[in-house]
Structures are given as C-alpha cells and as structure tokens.
C-alpha cells in the first residue's frame, strides 16, 4: 500500500468545474443540486428550469460536489449521470476526478474529518451561521492518493461499512419520528375529545389585547446577559421559547422598553417558514433586556383563558394546518400571517379546571417523550462520529482495508 505520507494537492487529482449557465436554456426540467435538497434528500432534485432564478454550475455527471457554505457541516455528494441536464448551486465547488483518481474515493476523502476541520479553520464570515470556504481552499487541500486499485478497494470497503452504519442510523431516526408522531396524535385526540365535550369558539372571543415589537438594525451576534437583545423569529417553535435566539441591540439605539418580554407572555410568530409560522409559546423564564421584534405578536387574554392552554392547543394539527394554508409571502422560505387569521383559531370552550387538567396531561406525556429523545439523539451522534472516524482512517491510510473489518476503528 502507498505510504499515507505521500500526499498531494487536491488540484493534481481533480479539476474544478466552473462553467456557469442559465438553467432556463437547458430545457423544461433539470436536476438541481442545491444546499436544501442535499440537506433533505441527500441528492439533487428534478425542478422546472424556469423556476430557478439564478445562474448555476453546469455539470455532466461524475463530478463530486463539496459545499463552500458552512464547511463544518461537511456536505459532499457524487453527481450521477442522467438523461436530464444537471446543474448545481454556486455554493458548491464541483470537482471532476482526473485520470488515476476514483470518484468515490475522492468523495469519501472530502467527507473525512481531516478535510472538514481544515476547511472549517479557513472559512471566513461575519457570523458563525454563514461561513464560506474559498474554492482555492478546497483545491489546495493536501490529500493522500494511493494507486487507483487501492482507492477502489477503500471505496468498496467504505460503501459496505457505511451502509451498516447508515442502516442503524435510519432505525434510530424512524424511532424518533414515531415518537414525534405518537406525541402529535395524542395531542390531536385530546383536543378533539375536549371540543366534542365542550364545543369551540374562535380565539378572538378571549383576546384582551395584542402588540408587536420593533425591529431596528441589530448586530449579527446574540446579546450577553447585560446587553439588550431583539428576539429572532427562531426564538419560537410550537410550544417552545428559546431566549438565546436574539440579536444584540447596538449601544447607540434606544431600547423600546414597552416591548420588553415578561414572564407569562403568550408569543406568536407572524413571520417564519410555512412550517413554523404561527408558532406559539408561553414565556416561563426569561432574563431582563430581551425585546419583541415586529415579527412576533404578544397576546393578552381575558380572564378564564389560560395562555398555556392556548399555546398547547396551537400545537395541534388543525391550527398548524390553518397557519400553513392561510400564510402568504414572497417566497417559500418566509411566510406571514395576519392577526385576524390568528383570532380565527378554534379554541375548545373548556372551563379553567378542564384547561388545567388538559395542560397537565399533555405536559406529562411530553415530558416522558422528551426523556427518551436525548438517548436516541446520543445514539445518532455516536453513529455519525463512528462513520466519520471510519472514513477518515480509511482515506488517510491508517489501516489496510483488505484485512480490516472497520469494527474496531473507534473502539
């Protein structure tokens, strides 16, 4: 086996593809490799070419794509040839293996922890959430390239071993999905039972007042405990309040004190993705100096209607569907709802005792499930670490794949 000390620059093993095209000139449909499609499906997706509004990298198939955006997430994919035209976001560096370089070996090399750490250390940006590596950072990576037969042995070995790991991860993910579906079904049944017993009325009957904050230009970092911060829309998930999701208010901007968040506030997002717009939660704990933005409603309810009860009912499938269907926006990435639509949400006409019993019942069930989820997440993290460690060891020549099983790499 070639010594792993014999390392070469990546540009000697693969050539960067740089041809950019307007997808609308390629026909009615294309296969588009984008960051969202890779995150959700692990590959490209068929799209109508005239729906893609920016220039893309033109591909032929056989390329290996690696994302420049947030390289710590290690997005790498091999592009399969297809009868449809192939394009990729310019957020990728597209690499076509040169003779003597196996494409699958190259893809695994780019997935390795060594490459991930190297690109992450070189990435530059103002914020942690939007960092980019330069194409030259990728092309100048130092990689080990043994003879092509050894590359193929390594790729075949990793195909088999990562399939076992991916299958185990898939089982854990299905368990997690089943738990979440079970929790949602339990909630929906409880809401339906309460409506059948008590009837329902629109939320407007119980709304005392509503206000919103303001959204001045803020710094792109969270505020510390002694600084004023403006809440992002990401501070709300259905039933969950995340106070650390905020942006620091510049010192030369006067805080809008009337918008300071207080314990017991019922908050609803008026703008977010279609899946999260209308997310509702009660603020149970909050530090001082956090402000509402203009994209968050704060609702005060009349006596007899519990904010916790409303927040839990708002997690139900009926109201989540109403939010998604009634929202509007300029793009699929951001949707808006009007408060008139929020006021139409159906609320069970339960008395205070029934509301308290309902809240306690649903909260107890959620707590049981939340105790299980971290164990599953921990297993998924361990499998991810094992997969990356195995790939890294194989593509850096730390063991001979012809004799290794891969079972003890991380043990």
């Amino acid at each position: 086996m070639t010594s792993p000390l014999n390392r070469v620059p990546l540009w000697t093993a693969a050539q960067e593809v740089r041809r950019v095209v307007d997808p609308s000139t390629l026909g009615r449909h294309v296969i588009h490799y984008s960051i969202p499609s890779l995150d959700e499906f692990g590959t490209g997706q068929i799209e109508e070419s005239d729906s893609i509004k920016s220039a893309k990298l033109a591909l032929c198939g056989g390329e290996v794509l690696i994302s420049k955006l947030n390289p710590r997430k290690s997005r790498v994919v091999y592009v399969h040839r297809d009868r449809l035209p192939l394009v990729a976001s310019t957020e990728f560096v597209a690499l076509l293996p040169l003779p003597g370089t196996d494409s699958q070996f190259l893809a695994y090399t780019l997935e390795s922890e060594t490459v991930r750490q190297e690109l992450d250390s070189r990435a530059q940006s103002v914020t942690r959430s939007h960092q980019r590596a330069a194409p030259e950072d990728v092309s100048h990576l130092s990689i080990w390239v043994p003879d092509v037969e050894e590359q193929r042995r390594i790729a075949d070995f990793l195909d088999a071993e990562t399939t076992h790991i991916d299958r185990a991860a898939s089982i854990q993910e299905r368990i997690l999905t089943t738990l979440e579906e079970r929790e949602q079904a339990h909630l929906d049944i409880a809401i339906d039972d309460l409506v059948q017993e008590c009837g329902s009325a629109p939320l407007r009957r119980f709304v005392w007042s509503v206000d919103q904050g303001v959204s001045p230009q803020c710094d792109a970092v969270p505020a510390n405990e002694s600084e004023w911060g403006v809440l992002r829309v990401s501070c709300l998930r259905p039933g969950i309040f995340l106070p650390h999701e905020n942006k620091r208010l510049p010192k030369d901007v006067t805080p809008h004190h009337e918008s300071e968040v207080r314990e017991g506030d019922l908050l609803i997002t008026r703008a977010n993705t279609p899946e999260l717009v209308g997310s509702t939660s009660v603020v149970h704990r909050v530090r001082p100096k956090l402000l509402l933005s203009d994209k968050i409603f704060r609702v005060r309810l009349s006596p007899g209607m519990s904010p916790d009860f409303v927040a839990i009912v708002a997690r139900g499938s009926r109201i989540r569907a109403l939010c998604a269907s009634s929202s509007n926006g300029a793009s699929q990435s951001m949707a808006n709802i009007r408060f008139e639509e929020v006021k139409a949400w159906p609320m069970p006409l339960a008395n205070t005792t029934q509301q308290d019993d309902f809240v306690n019942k649903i909260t107890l069930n959620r707590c049981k499930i939340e105790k299980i989820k971290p164990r599953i997440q921990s297993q998924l993290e361990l499998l991810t670490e094992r997969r990356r460690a195995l790939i890294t060891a194989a593509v850096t020549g730390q063991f001979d794949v012809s004799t290794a099983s891969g079972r003890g790499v991380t043990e």
Side-chain angles (χ1 to χ4, degrees):
M1 185 167 65
T2 304
S3 170
L5 297 178
N6 296 330
R7 301 173 70 85
V8 298
L10 177 58
W11 59 265
T12 66
Q15 179 181 7
E16 185 181 351
V17 175
R18 298 181 178 178
R19 187 166 73 91
V20 176
V21 296
D22 178 352
S24 65
T25 65
L26 301 178
R28 184 176 178 183
H29 292 93
V30 297
I31 295 180
H32 182 200
Y33 285 81
S34 65
I35 299 291
S37 72
L38 189 57
D39 286 346
E40 185 169 358
F41 304 107
T43 188
Q45 293 295 297
I46 298 176
E47 297 182 24
E48 293 186 358
S49 57
D50 59 6
S51 70
I52 303 173
K53 303 302 182 183
S54 59
K56 302 296 175 184
L57 294 172
L59 307 175
C60 296
E63 298 90 350
V64 177
L65 305 180
I66 181 169
S67 173
K68 297 180 290 185
L69 182 66
N70 298 334
R72 67 186 181 279
K73 293 186 178 180
S74 190
R75 298 181 178 100
V76 177
V77 65
Y78 172 74
V79 178
H80 293 276
R81 289 177 174 81
D82 198 276
R83 60 182 179 80
L84 288 175
L86 301 161
V87 296
S89 165
T90 53
E91 290 289 1
F92 290 106
V93 174
L95 298 166
L96 189 62
L98 294 173
T101 303
D102 180 78
S103 57
Q104 288 299 118
F105 176 82
L106 176 62
Y108 279 125
T109 296
L110 295 178
E111 277 192 72
S112 69
E113 181 67 11
T114 305
V115 166
R116 189 190 73 84
Q117 289 185 4
E118 178 67 18
L119 291 182
D120 190 34
S121 70
R122 297 186 185 186
Q124 296 181 354
S125 184
V126 177
T127 68
R128 180 68 177 166
S129 60
H130 285 86
Q131 293 184 318
R132 282 181 179 83
E136 55 268 27
D137 290 334
V138 176
S139 62
H140 286 80
L141 287 166
S142 177
I143 64 171
W144 175 54
V145 185
D147 64 74
V148 70
E149 290 303 318
E150 180 66 16
Q151 292 177 48
R152 288 170 182 157
R153 278 196 295 271
I154 292 171
D156 290 343
F157 166 81
L158 289 174
D159 284 345
E161 293 296 325
T162 58
T163 295
H164 294 312
I165 296 173
D166 292 344
R167 191 173 297 143
S170 178
I171 292 170
Q172 295 297 320
E173 287 168 351
R174 285 202 300 271
I175 294 171
L176 192 59
T177 299
T178 300
L179 283 172
E180 291 169 348
E181 291 173 347
R182 178 179 176 182
E183 180 187 10
Q184 188 65 55
H186 182 271
L187 172 60
D188 290 341
I189 291 170
I191 293 172
D192 289 344
D193 288 347
L194 205 53
V195 169
Q196 187 172 6
E197 179 182 353
C198 307
S200 66
L203 180 62
R204 66 168 55 88
R205 181 184 295 188
F206 312 103
V207 173
W208 187 270
S209 67
V210 62
D211 68 308
Q212 296 170 241
V214 295
S215 293
Q217 188 67 39
C218 291
D219 299 330
V221 294
N224 63 39
E225 293 290 322
S226 63
E227 297 172 322
W228 286 93
V230 177
L231 291 171
R232 300 172 179 265
V233 294
S234 54
C235 76
L236 289 174
R237 296 287 185 271
I240 300 172
F241 174 61
L242 304 169
H244 62 275
E245 289 288 335
N246 67 79
K247 296 183 290 185
R248 183 174 64 198
L249 189 71
K251 291 182 179 179
D252 59 349
V253 177
T254 303
H256 190 251
H257 291 275
E258 292 82 0
S259 299
E260 186 173 5
V261 178
R262 309 289 185 187
E263 289 186 7
D265 282 349
L266 177 66
L267 305 182
I268 303 172
T269 54
R270 73 162 183 84
N272 208 321
T273 62
E275 295 78 16
L276 292 174
V277 67
S279 291
T280 304
S281 184
V282 177
V283 178
H284 289 122
R285 292 189 185 88
V286 67
R287 70 166 179 84
K289 296 187 175 183
L290 284 183
L291 302 168
L292 295 174
S293 73
D294 65 351
K295 293 181 174 62
I296 300 175
F297 297 123
R298 172 166 49 192
V299 181
R300 291 181 175 85
L301 302 171
S302 58
M305 180 55 69
S306 160
D308 287 301
F309 179 74
V310 171
I312 290 178
V313 173
R315 281 171 32 212
S317 296
R318 182 177 299 180
I319 289 181
R320 295 305 312 140
L322 284 174
C323 291
S325 63
S326 63
S327 62
N328 58 82
S331 71
Q332 285 301 304
S333 62
M334 185 60 74
N336 297 271
I337 55 173
R338 298 177 296 115
F339 194 64
E340 283 301 313
E341 292 155 351
V342 174
K343 289 195 292 185
W345 289 356
M347 287 290 130
L349 284 171
N351 59 40
T352 54
T353 300
Q354 290 171 317
Q355 291 178 39
D356 290 343
D357 290 344
F358 175 87
V359 169
N360 291 336
K361 175 184 175 182
I362 299 301
T363 301
L364 179 62
N365 184 66
R366 189 173 208 182
C367 287
K368 290 178 180 177
I369 292 176
E370 290 300 321
K371 287 181 179 179
I372 301 172
K373 286 182 180 179
R375 302 175 194 170
I376 300 172
Q377 293 288 2
S378 177
Q379 288 298 314
L380 285 169
E381 289 169 8
L382 289 172
L383 287 168
T384 299
E385 291 173 6
R386 172 173 170 72
R387 189 182 195 278
R388 187 171 290 153
L390 182 64
I391 290 171
T392 302
V395 301
T396 55
Q398 294 178 33
F399 62 86
D400 187 344
V401 301
S402 61
T403 58
S405 70
R407 298 290 188 261
V409 171
T410 59
E411 295 173 0

